[in-house]
Amino acid sequence: MRKVGILFEFVRVLILLFFLTAILYYPLRTLYETIGIETENYFYILTFAILLIVYVIYTNKLQFTGFYTKGAKKMPPKITWSILSISFLLISVPIIINYIG
């Protein structure tokens, strides 16, 4: 039964990863298009920043509601804020590059 729980949790993580990434990417793409920035040029930067945010959300909240919660621990607040700061910095990089360059 434990292996089935781990498999279900893996599938759940993949589904959450896909949907949360799509949900977070759409507003950023529309914001950048409104400003006049081409999102194709910065696709990898935005995707990496969004994946960092999704990782923090999963690690601090969603892992405690899944099929396999044994050994689940929250990240320390300093690490959480560091990762979120890096992701917001990565999100702002295309805007900075567009207005400087």
Side-chain angles (χ1 to χ4, degrees):
M1 186 64 182
R2 181 176 165 186
K3 291 180 183 179
V4 174
I6 293 172
L7 180 66
F8 281 152
E9 184 65 20
F10 179 71
V11 171
R12 179 180 169 264
V13 167
L14 289 178
I15 291 170
L16 284 170
L17 182 70
F18 175 75
F19 281 114
L20 288 176
T21 304
I23 288 170
L24 292 173
Y25 185 75
Y26 180 74
L28 282 174
R29 190 184 77 200
T30 56
L31 173 72
Y32 286 162
E33 288 175 356
T34 303
I35 295 173
I37 300 172
E38 303 234 0
T39 56
E40 293 84 25
N41 298 337
Y42 304 105
F43 176 75
Y44 294 111
I45 294 173
L46 292 178
T47 304
F48 185 66
I50 290 171
L51 288 175
L52 286 175
I53 293 171
V54 170
Y55 174 72
V56 169
I57 291 171
Y58 179 79
T59 304
N60 288 337
K61 297 288 180 188
L62 298 176
Q63 74 176 342
F64 302 108
T65 61
F67 297 102
Y68 186 75
T69 59
K70 185 177 182 179
K73 295 180 184 175
K74 285 180 110 176
M75 279 194 294
K78 286 185 179 181
I79 294 175
T80 299
W81 285 108
S82 298
I83 293 174
L84 288 177
S85 299
I86 290 169
S87 70
F88 289 123
L89 179 69
L90 287 173
I91 288 171
S92 65
V93 161
I95 297 170
I96 294 169
I97 290 175
N98 189 40
Y99 285 113
I100 290 177

